[in-house]
Amino acid sequence: DNIKWHFDDSTGTLTISGTGVAARINEASGEAYDQYRLSIRHVVIEDGITEIAPYAFNHIYYLESVWIGDTVKIIGNFAFGDNRNVTQLYIGKSVTTIGEYAFGYMESLQSLVLPTSVREIGVHAFHLCGITELIIPEGVTVIHEGAFSSIENLKRLAIPVSITEIKNAAFKNSDNLTDVYYAGTQAQWEAINIVDAAGSNVVLLDAAIHYNHTHTWDAGTVTKAPGCKTEGEKECTCTECGATGTVKIAPQHTWDS
């Protein structure tokens, strides 16, 4: 009762608003947006929504972009799975849990920024995505089975010291991975339990490991201007590993003459 939806036919945008858990509203509902499935190009989850239920927006054939608001904490299993034409994805700043296959098969997705709030990345969460580089946020302890498997374009990977285990097939068939930028020491890296049954993570073991890595950000592009009392933000790229990320800009005054 606290959730509303609106479909703009002129832009192909489905907007979900309100408070609580966003779930699929299908043909069985008196107010079904499922009837617009072939027309949906963009999904916007507005602030106020706290959870996206399993299968809520999976298999929307022509979906191109997803924007998930900053109040969402949990993204359920298969929530956006099998949306093969998505090229743009924004995951809100409060997400802690990404479920199984939540973004699986997003093969057209080329850029992924995981918020620093993320702690759990489920089995096959990003299987067969099209990304070229990836930063695992500090605080994630386990990379689950198949989480980043079959990502043929993945070349660079940044791993934090919080990781204690990389499970079987986590990076299976991501065969172009060449460089891993690890925030800790060689001894810490060697202490990680990397499960490699039948060579399923061999690409990770064969990659060049760059120890004690800290990002060196370029000048970036301002996406939110700072105010006198509020922080701004800019999207930057690490000049060493190529990773992208959001960097805070300190509050600053704009002085007159």
Side-chain angles (χ1 to χ4, degrees), residues 44-252:
V44 176
I45 312 295
E46 292 191 342
D47 288 349
I49 305 298
T50 55
E51 182 176 343
I52 301 172
Y55 298 93
F57 304 99
N58 75 312
H59 211 178
I60 300 177
Y61 304 98
Y62 302 112
L63 185 63
E64 298 172 3
S65 72
V66 175
W67 192 93
I68 299 172
D70 290 334
T71 58
V72 173
K73 295 182 178 180
I74 298 172
I75 300 173
N77 299 343
F78 293 88
F80 293 93
D82 207 18
N83 288 316
R84 296 172 184 264
N85 293 307
V86 170
T87 59
Q88 295 180 311
L89 171 63
Y90 173 79
I91 301 176
K93 299 175 183 177
S94 298
V95 170
T96 60
T97 304
I98 298 174
E100 298 179 11
Y101 284 100
F103 300 100
Y105 300 99
M106 277 192 179
E107 56 191 12
S108 297
L109 183 68
Q110 297 180 359
S111 177
L112 172 65
V113 178
L114 293 174
T116 57
S117 56
V118 170
R119 294 297 178 266
E120 182 79 12
I121 302 172
V123 173
H124 290 96
F126 293 94
H127 171 72
L128 205 66
C129 285
I131 59 175
T132 59
E133 53 202 23
L134 172 67
I135 303 174
I136 307 293
E138 177 67 37
V140 175
T141 58
V142 177
I143 301 177
H144 286 286
E145 292 90 344
F148 302 100
S149 58
S150 298
I151 302 180
E152 295 182 357
N153 296 331
L154 184 63
K155 296 179 180 179
R156 293 182 292 268
L157 168 67
I159 294 181
V161 294
S162 58
I163 293 292
T164 60
E165 183 176 14
I166 300 174
K167 293 198 172 184
N168 192 47
F171 293 92
K172 184 178 181 180
N173 296 329
S174 296
D175 295 333
N176 289 311
L177 178 63
T178 57
D179 293 272
V180 174
Y181 296 85
Y182 181 58
T185 65
Q186 182 174 349
Q188 289 174 303
W189 173 258
E190 292 173 352
I192 297 174
N193 180 26
I194 301 177
V195 182
D196 188 41
S200 67
N201 279 323
V202 67
V203 63
L204 183 64
L205 298 172
D206 289 346
I209 311 299
H210 305 267
Y211 302 108
N212 301 304
H213 176 68
T214 56
H215 296 301
T216 302
W217 300 113
D218 64 7
T221 301
V222 175
T223 55
K224 177 183 176 183
C228 298
K229 298 181 180 180
T230 57
E231 290 184 328
E233 294 180 349
K234 58 183 178 180
E235 295 298 321
C236 298
T237 301
C238 178
T239 56
E240 182 179 352
C241 73
T244 57
T246 301
V247 176
K248 298 291 186 182
I249 305 173
Q252 53 190 253

